[in-house]
Amino acid sequence: MNFAELVVWCDRVLAMTVKELKQLLRDPALLLIIAYFFTADVYLAGSGINLSLRNAPIKVLDHDHSAASRELMYRFRAPYFDLQGELTNPRLAINALNAGSLLAVLDIPDGFQRQLLQGQPVAVQFQIDSTNTVLGTLATAYALEITAGFGQDFIAQQRGLGTAQQANLPIIANRPRVLYNPNRIDGWFMSISELLTVITILSLMLPAAAAVREKERGTIEQLAVSPLSPLQILLPKVIAMGMVILLGVGICLGLIIVPIFHLPINGSVGLFFAVTALYVFATSGIGLFIATVSRNLAQMAMLGILLLMPILLLSGAWTPPEAMPQLMRIGMKVSPLYYYNDMGYAILLKGAGLSVIWDSLLGLLLLGIGFFNFGVWRFRRQFG
Amino acid sequence: MNFSRVWAVTYKEWREIFRDRLFFAMSFVLPVGIFLVLGFGISFDVEKISFAVLDQDQSALSRDFLHRFIDSRYFDYKGHVNSDRELMPLLAHSDIRFALIIPPRFLEQLTSGQATSVQSLIDGVFPYRAEVAKAYLTAIIADFNAQSLAAYWATTRAMPKPQALALVSPVRLVPRYLYNQALRSQWSMSSGLMMLVLMVTPPFLTALGVVREKENGSIYNIYASTISRSEFILGKLLPYLLISGINILVLWLLVMTVFGTPFKGDPLFYGLASVVYIICTAGVGLVVSLLVRTQVAALMLTIVISFVPAILYSGLLVPVESMGAITHTEAHLFPTMYYLRIAWGSFLKGLGATELAFDVLALVVYAVLLWSVGFLNFHKRPST
């Protein structure tokens, strides 16, 4: 290809890109939906989604009515628990747990204080509504910590051990430090996760829908008889949608994630955009493949969702690869979102540079080239 | 209403669906596919948390301490490092999720009856996992402390070991998990996923079915015919309701067989409530189809108002009680939350019509509302 041909080639791609952008701009409903995705949707996910235990409603079945039982129950307090008083009989406890108005019931046995004073071990029961396993797990963990702390303090008080004496016991102090998100703000994780999800949905669906629409209306035949090559027909769709998506990412970071959630961007924003562009390219390859398989938009929509689900799920955002079954872990290696997700968090939160993410970048690049060429190859066979 | 005309539309729609083999197959494959992938893919069982160790003591005791982590099924040991500089790249690259640092003189301090400390660096990108990892870590250290303290007191104060142990941890908390005894997230997830799948697929089918006629222009045949708008809407949606009804049964079976989730409630009640739910979600699709003119926009809008709320605001991943104020309100605006209560109530809690009456009523109200909006806004005389 000489220089003149290259100019013509680029000129055609440019003209087609302009055409795609115009077409997109003329669908105001779609534009509104895209804007919603990048702003309100990310905001809602980041501000409202909270995977931590906050003010979980609990009540106590106190069979002992002693100073010790009261001391123990009042330790179940904010921010984790919301102690809503006492229950008089176990039947009420079950009813409240069934109705979901209580998360847990603490059952303190008769003779609790007496046994403690005699130095006998006592068991208290903690009934938890575990339909939601996240809450069940956290509530149990905190309750165990609270009761253990109560027990130690009770004994220390009884034996007259001050804090100074406790320091002279052979125990290991636990000094955990949470990195990258020291206050464990769910909004940081959720807003980024939602942004990556939105990018995935749009980059899979938009170029594919643009291609299928041409097939459904028959305008693809016009393009096929024009001097445009299949690549020149498909690439502009990806470029146009990619531009819209990158713009959306910029708006989302600049208007929502940074100012509202105060997320400290520790890495390079430029690198994040570059990685995003590569990701849009890779994912749109999958979309183009779907576009060649389906004859109309309804088919494309269903195939798109069918592929979108595993991609979103095998991303490693919700369940990290090490906790996945073996088969799923293999699936993750061909999911572009897995690499993108890794890099997204690494760049934005962990402040990682190229030296850390190079292997994920390489994986994404290879997948992208593979998917895109496959999509174009299928299209060429259909219309070439 | 003339039922022979309704039947005519239904028959025409059914043949159209049936002749589009890919669409027909997908309308059954899609729900099952989404269901299986999500059911196996989302897991909140925090297990195999990978970690590395920097042991600056290298004594028998520090190795004994570490083995409590290495042998635990919750942790996955990735090896030792020789300096703390090596830990950060491992964390940044997500090779490990936390690091344990054992100080020098660990053995010496503990055997001479002094306190020591163990530092841990936890990857906080996903706060829930960090929280659970921290809780496990705390529990292991507390357990180790209890035993070493008991041993210490048993020797220094010459008391029998059981008494010393009772002294160290006098109160034991016995958690009792109701409804989901093993705290298995798959039970909750699989039954909850019926809500998600039945929220996503019926609107897709109905919205695309109606908008397809609008975009292709075949709707003008309807406008020009004698059929009334209610007859058209009813006839048009019946085949999609039938498909979704079959899907209810298929999914129900999968929840019980593939995931082994028990069904404790009333099958007749649950079946009827599910039918109300799909009428309701098909109504969502109907309303979407009125708002947009193109199938691409219909596709995107359906994702926005069905997929995203079903995952984020239903209570499936995040309990409604722990949401922020705005999201909490938003959760109540979608039918998903009510149906999820019905699903979990029926599968796990064994509740019936009396306890869940309010939620069914909410679904009925939604269904009536959505179908009325759909009916009133469907005009046989389009403005353009």
Side-chain angles (χ1 to χ4, degrees):
Chain A
M1 192 189 282
N2 61 37
F3 183 71
E5 281 175 65
L6 187 71
V7 170
V8 173
W9 198 90
C10 291
D11 199 42
R12 283 177 184 165
V13 169
L14 187 70
M16 285 295 287
T17 308
V18 171
K19 170 228 156 214
E20 293 295 337
L21 284 174
K22 276 186 179 161
Q23 213 168 0
L24 185 66
L25 289 178
R26 286 179 190 159
D27 193 345
L30 186 59
L31 281 178
L32 259 178
I33 295 163
I34 295 174
Y36 173 88
F37 263 128
F38 279 113
T39 51
D41 187 62
V42 173
Y43 170 73
L44 286 172
S47 61
I49 303 305
N50 207 326
L51 278 172
S52 43
L53 194 71
R54 292 277 175 269
N55 297 323
I58 65 164
K59 282 192 180 178
V60 182
L61 268 170
D62 187 357
H63 296 287
D64 196 42
H65 294 289
S66 61
S69 71
R70 268 192 298 280
E71 160 73 16
L72 174 61
M73 78 169 89
Y74 286 122
R75 287 188 177 221
F76 284 79
R77 60 180 173 229
Y80 303 136
F81 297 103
D82 176 19
L83 185 67
Q84 299 190 335
E86 289 184 29
L87 286 163
T88 44
N89 81 59
R91 192 67 238 149
L92 290 174
I94 291 298
N95 285 348
L97 287 166
N98 276 345
S101 59
L102 288 183
L103 180 77
V105 171
L106 182 70
D107 192 336
I108 303 177
D110 192 19
F112 177 72
Q113 179 167 292
R114 187 166 39 80
Q115 282 183 299
L116 271 181
L117 290 172
Q118 287 169 354
Q120 288 171 356
V122 204
V124 294
Q125 210 186 46
F126 195 57
Q127 298 186 320
I128 309 147
D129 172 356
S130 53
T131 37
N132 187 312
T133 41
V134 170
L135 286 190
T137 310
L138 289 176
T140 317
Y142 297 137
L144 284 168
E145 241 179 281
I146 289 171
T147 32
F150 164 79
Q152 271 157 24
D153 290 354
F154 188 86
I155 296 297
Q157 203 182 9
Q158 210 192 340
R159 301 244 149 188
L161 292 175
T163 38
Q165 279 149 307
Q166 284 190 28
N168 280 326
L169 291 172
I171 52 170
I172 304 168
N174 181 13
R175 298 248 157 74
R177 215 179 104 208
V178 177
L179 300 169
Y180 314 126
N181 188 352
N183 298 323
R184 276 156 278 149
I185 302 167
D186 280 310
W188 290 6
F189 171 75
M190 281 308 308
S191 59
I192 298 180
S193 164
E194 190 63 17
L195 174 63
L196 303 191
T197 305
V198 164
I199 295 170
T200 309
I201 295 176
L202 294 179
S203 55
L204 187 83
M205 293 290 193
L206 288 180
V212 174
R213 185 165 48 189
E214 305 243 23
K215 272 170 86 170
E216 211 174 4
R217 296 204 178 147
T219 47
I220 199 89
E221 306 292 343
Q222 293 169 7
L223 292 176
V225 296
S226 72
L228 295 166
S229 70
L231 186 63
Q232 285 169 328
I233 297 171
L234 294 179
L235 198 57
K237 296 189 195 300
V238 177
I239 294 174
M241 302 309 169
M243 281 164 62
V244 172
I245 291 168
L246 286 180
L247 182 70
V249 173
I251 290 172
C252 183
L253 282 177
L255 289 182
I256 307 288
I257 293 186
V258 174
I260 295 182
F261 297 114
H262 306 291
L263 182 118
I265 295 190
N266 294 320
S268 150
V269 179
L271 183 61
F272 180 69
F273 272 94
V275 168
T276 305
L278 178 62
Y279 176 68
V280 171
F281 167 76
T283 315
S284 62
I286 303 178
L288 291 180
F289 161 68
I290 298 171
T292 58
V293 177
S294 36
R295 271 184 294 120
N296 53 48
L297 267 162
Q299 292 182 346
M300 187 239 115
M302 302 246 247
L303 281 171
I305 297 289
L306 191 67
L307 280 176
L308 202 54
M309 295 303 255
I311 291 176
L312 290 179
L313 250 137
L314 296 176
S315 66
W318 291 96
T319 311
E322 61 263 27
M324 287 270 186
Q326 187 63 39
L327 201 71
M328 296 275 186
R329 235 180 302 169
I330 299 168
M332 292 175 98
K333 299 285 176 195
V334 291
S335 160
L337 185 55
Y338 166 64
Y339 299 100
Y340 181 47
N341 192 65
D342 232 28
M343 290 188 278
Y345 286 111
I347 297 170
L348 292 177
L349 274 181
K350 299 185 178 179
L354 268 178
S355 58
V356 172
I357 62 164
W358 70 271
D359 54 344
S360 297
L361 195 64
L362 189 68
L364 183 59
L365 189 69
L366 290 178
L367 274 185
I369 293 173
F371 285 145
F372 195 80
N373 278 321
F374 183 62
V376 174
W377 173 74
R378 289 261 338 174
F379 186 82
R380 189 173 282 143
R381 271 202 349 172
Q382 220 161 27
F383 294 100
Chain B
M1 190 177 289
N2 183 335
F3 283 97
S4 69
R5 284 201 290 241
V6 172
W7 173 246
V9 176
T10 303
Y11 186 63
K12 167 235 146 209
E13 191 66 23
W14 177 255
R15 285 189 37 176
E16 203 176 325
I17 297 169
F18 193 70
R19 281 180 186 165
D20 188 341
R21 285 299 158 85
L22 184 63
F23 185 88
F24 183 69
M26 289 304 288
S27 59
F28 293 101
V29 172
L30 184 72
V32 172
I34 296 176
F35 176 77
L36 289 179
V37 169
L38 290 177
F40 284 113
I42 302 187
S43 161
F44 283 105
D45 305 331
V46 183
E47 282 174 6
K48 295 187 193 156
I49 313 166
S50 50
F51 74 107
V53 175
L54 171 62
D55 186 354
Q56 295 171 317
D57 192 43
Q58 308 266 12
S59 62
L61 189 64
S62 71
R63 273 190 293 275
D64 179 39
F65 174 71
L66 284 176
H67 261 282
R68 288 166 178 262
F69 292 89
I70 296 171
D71 299 339
S72 162
R73 73 184 171 98
Y74 297 114
F75 298 113
D76 181 18
Y77 171 63
K78 291 284 182 193
H80 271 66
V81 296
N82 294 318
S83 85
D84 53 1
R85 274 197 313 272
E86 291 172 49
L87 290 173
M88 291 312 280
L90 287 175
L91 282 161
H93 197 255
S94 307
D95 290 325
I96 56 169
R97 302 290 170 184
F98 77 93
L100 270 180
I101 302 170
I102 295 179
R105 301 180 56 232
F106 178 80
L107 169 77
E108 192 190 319
Q109 284 180 315
L110 284 180
T111 43
S112 65
Q114 287 175 342
T116 183
S117 65
V118 166
Q119 210 194 19
S120 48
L121 301 172
I122 306 169
D123 177 348
V125 164
F126 189 176
Y128 167 70
R129 288 189 166 272
E131 197 74 12
V132 176
K134 204 175 113 213
Y136 289 162
L137 209 95
T138 309
I140 288 184
I141 294 180
D143 188 50
F144 185 84
N145 279 341
Q147 288 190 9
S148 64
L149 206 56
Y152 176 74
W153 278 356
T155 50
T156 54
R157 301 198 183 173
M159 57 170 79
K161 194 110 188 244
Q163 197 191 338
L165 258 178
L167 203 64
V168 179
S169 50
V171 190
R172 202 161 48 89
L173 186 87
V174 186
R176 212 182 122 219
Y177 302 111
L178 300 169
Y179 320 124
N180 189 355
Q181 279 80 2
L183 207 63
R184 288 181 45 156
S185 63
Q186 273 193 347
W187 280 14
S188 308
M189 208 37 92
S190 62
S191 49
L193 278 176
M194 285 198 68
M195 173 280 299
L196 178 86
V197 175
L198 294 176
M199 180 70 211
V200 174
T201 47
F204 263 109
L205 298 175
T206 42
L208 288 172
V210 178
V211 177
R212 182 162 49 184
E213 297 225 20
K214 277 168 96 173
E215 205 174 5
N216 291 342
S218 59
I219 198 134
Y220 285 96
N221 297 334
I222 302 296
Y223 291 157
S225 70
T226 51
I227 190 168
S228 78
R229 49 186 181 166
S230 56
E231 287 162 356
F232 171 69
I233 291 175
L234 187 62
K236 181 90 188 170
L237 264 52
L238 271 179
Y240 298 109
L241 288 177
L242 178 71
I243 292 175
S244 302
I246 295 170
N247 282 329
I248 294 177
L249 295 177
V250 174
L251 291 174
W252 195 345
L253 267 178
L254 288 176
V255 173
M256 294 177 66
T257 54
V258 177
F259 293 98
T261 311
F263 185 84
K264 297 176 183 162
D266 178 358
L268 186 68
F269 164 75
Y270 184 62
L272 286 175
S274 301
V275 171
V276 174
Y277 181 61
I278 58 165
I279 291 176
C280 183
T281 55
V284 173
L286 178 65
V287 173
V288 166
S289 69
L290 296 168
L291 293 175
V292 297
R293 277 180 295 117
T294 61
Q295 292 183 70
V296 188
L299 173 62
M300 286 297 161
L301 190 59
T302 326
I303 292 182
V304 170
I305 67 173
S306 69
F307 201 26
V308 176
I311 287 195
L312 295 181
Y313 311 130
S314 61
L316 181 66
L317 301 182
V318 184
V320 177
E321 296 83 37
S322 56
M323 289 177 179
I326 302 175
T327 339
H328 188 269
T329 318
E330 196 172 300
H332 285 77
L333 293 178
F334 291 101
T336 45
M337 190 193 83
Y338 305 99
Y339 184 70
L340 186 67
R341 282 203 209 142
I342 297 174
W344 276 351
S346 296
F347 274 99
L348 301 173
K349 295 188 177 182
L351 305 184
T354 39
E355 293 94 338
L356 296 168
F358 173 77
D359 300 289
V360 179
L361 191 72
L363 290 183
V364 172
V365 171
Y366 272 109
V368 171
L369 204 73
L370 287 166
W371 282 68
S372 312
V373 170
F375 170 71
L376 292 173
N377 286 290
F378 183 86
H379 298 297
K380 288 185 72 183
R381 289 173 185 78
S383 49
T384 46

